[in-house]
Amino acid sequence: MAALPRLVCASSVVLVVWAGFCSAVCVEVPSETEAVQGTHMKLLCISCMKREEVTASTVVEWFYRPEGGKDEPIYEYRKRNHEFPSRFSGRLQWNGSKDMQDVSITVLNVTLNDSGIYTCNITREFEFEIHRPLFTSSRLIHLTVVEEAGEDFTSVISEIMMYILLVFLTLWLLIEMIYCYRKVSKAEEAAQENATDYLAIPSENKENCAVPVEE
């Protein structure tokens, strides 16, 4: 009988782990905040649904606020896409996913006047049998548009490290060449000295230098 509770406990752990692996993975990633003039900029807005097993209707609202201005609606998703008349007319593209966890939009042909604060509001209404609770979340994106792409700090550091490595390898190779040259030169000098000493020995001494052969 004591083994039964242990078996139930182990089964529960296995079920929890299995459910964790089988549940959909959703990671809330922040959007990029710098765009280059004339390119397309994706305003990333991800809101993970906490109750994947429950049906929910989602409403997405996008707002834009210029420097020192007020929020103005630019895009809305309410069962269908709707673009509001604004400076972005004809330049907004829906990039949301089917499960409505990714509700991003893309601004086409970004201009310098597109710099500002973008707000992504998500409202979910869960469809339970007894009640229909509402959950809301919001994301702010401070976008800066530049004329030309600046060098990435990581790439600059990589280039500097590459040049330092090349200089180090060049110096190391030069030192190795000098060391090998001096070593070869000393070996040649030693061989030349031995040859000179041998030639300086008289003929009779050379015969005496021969190793006697034992019979």
Side-chain angles (χ1 to χ4, degrees), residues 36-52:
V36 181
Q37 179 180 253
T39 62
H40 301 338
M41 177 63 185
K42 183 177 181 179
L43 302 175
L44 190 63
C45 181
I46 297 177
S47 177
C48 297
M49 189 182 299
K50 305 303 180 183
R51 305 187 180 205
E52 301 88 353

Side-chain angles (χ1 to χ4, degrees), residues 112-140:
L112 295 176
N113 294 328
D114 295 339
S115 297
I117 300 175
Y118 294 81
T119 305
C120 172
N121 291 334
I122 305 102
T123 303
R124 298 192 195 278
E125 182 180 6
F126 289 93
E127 301 175 1
F128 292 99
E129 294 182 0
I130 302 176
H131 62 297
R132 302 169 70 92
L134 289 175
F135 295 90
T136 60
S137 60
S138 183
R139 303 286 185 275
L140 292 180

Side-chain angles (χ1 to χ4, degrees), residues 80-192:
R80 64 183 183 88
N81 302 330
H82 175 66
E83 183 178 344
F84 292 95
S86 66
R87 69 178 69 191
F88 302 98
S89 295
R91 295 193 298 123
L92 297 179
Q93 186 178 74
W94 175 255
N95 278 135
S97 58
K98 292 182 179 180
D99 59 5
M100 296 302 293
Q101 301 203 78
D102 183 354
V103 291
S104 307
I105 62 173
T106 297
V107 182
L108 307 177
N109 298 322
V110 176
T111 66
L112 295 176
N113 294 328
D114 295 339
S115 297
I117 300 175
Y118 294 81
T119 305
C120 172
N121 291 334
I122 305 102
T123 303
R124 298 192 195 278
E125 182 180 6
F126 289 93
E127 301 175 1
F128 292 99
E129 294 182 0
I130 302 176
H131 62 297
R132 302 169 70 92
L134 289 175
F135 295 90
T136 60
S137 60
S138 183
R139 303 286 185 275
L140 292 180
I141 302 173
H142 296 260
L143 181 66
T144 302
V145 182
V146 296
E147 295 183 0
E148 295 180 357
E151 285 193 87
D152 187 14
F153 181 74
T154 305
S155 62
V156 173
I157 295 297
S158 300
E159 290 182 6
I160 294 175
M161 294 301 295
M162 182 184 66
Y163 287 126
I164 292 176
L165 182 60
L166 288 176
V167 171
F168 174 76
L169 291 177
T170 303
L171 291 176
W172 178 78
L173 182 60
L174 182 61
I175 293 173
E176 284 292 322
M177 291 177 63
I178 294 175
Y179 173 76
C180 292
Y181 175 77
R182 293 182 63 181
K183 190 173 182 180
V184 171
S185 298
K186 287 183 179 180
E188 290 180 352
E189 290 176 1
Q192 189 174 2

Side-chain angles (χ1 to χ4, degrees), residues 21-69:
F21 279 111
C22 293
S23 61
V25 177
C26 178
V27 180
E28 297 184 3
V29 182
S31 175
E32 294 185 5
T33 57
E34 184 175 296
V36 181
Q37 179 180 253
T39 62
H40 301 338
M41 177 63 185
K42 183 177 181 179
L43 302 175
L44 190 63
C45 181
I46 297 177
S47 177
C48 297
M49 189 182 299
K50 305 303 180 183
R51 305 187 180 205
E52 301 88 353
E53 72 279 2
V54 179
T55 304
S57 58
T58 303
V59 176
V60 182
E61 298 172 308
W62 278 93
F63 296 87
Y64 168 73
R65 184 172 69 214
E67 294 291 337

